[in-house]
Amino acid sequence: MRDFICVFLFVVLALGCGRREQESAGETAPPSRLPVSGSVDVRLSEEEKIEALIRALGDLPGAIFVRNGQEHTAVEAMQHLRDKWAWKKSEIHSAEDFIRVT
């Protein structure tokens, strides 16, 4: 389980490191946005952010996730995270909570 979580957190931190660098430099990070054609930006809800984090695992071609000493595919890892999200729903109110709790 720890190996799986470590890989997941590595991916999450790698995706979010630019935001943290901006914040540490005193800049205000822009809200998360979903790019769409034209000049319209759609803000993501916390649930959409969490789902985007989970889907990011599926975009890792050939990735193998190790949980409790057993190898799992990205699809299995995604399902595990969705199951854990459902199980811990009362503790998860934001993408940051999701990362912390899972």
Side-chain angles (χ1 to χ4, degrees):
M1 174 82 164
R2 279 257 180 239
D3 293 336
F4 172 79
I5 291 172
C6 288
V7 171
F8 177 71
L9 291 177
F10 174 77
V11 171
V12 169
L13 292 174
L15 293 173
C17 67
R19 179 177 157 220
R20 293 203 186 273
E21 289 170 2
Q22 282 181 330
E23 290 172 353
S24 65
E27 299 175 24
T28 303
S32 297
R33 297 178 186 271
L34 179 65
V36 292
S37 60
S39 61
V40 178
D41 283 331
V42 178
R43 292 176 191 235
L44 296 176
S45 69
E46 292 301 315
E47 286 191 0
E48 290 169 325
K49 291 177 189 177
I50 293 168
E51 190 56 43
L53 289 171
I54 294 171
R55 279 194 317 270
L57 295 177
D59 293 337
L60 301 173
I64 300 294
F65 297 89
V66 179
R67 181 175 168 266
N68 296 333
Q70 294 183 342
E71 293 184 353
H72 299 275
T73 66
V75 171
E76 292 169 328
M78 292 167 59
Q79 186 58 52
H80 171 76
L81 288 172
R82 285 189 180 105
D83 290 344
K84 189 138 188 193
W85 182 16
W87 178 46
K88 298 284 190 171
K89 194 78 163 176
S90 65
E91 298 175 44
I92 300 172
H93 307 287
S94 68
E96 288 182 14
D97 289 345
F98 177 75
I99 294 166
R100 181 181 48 78
V101 171
T102 59

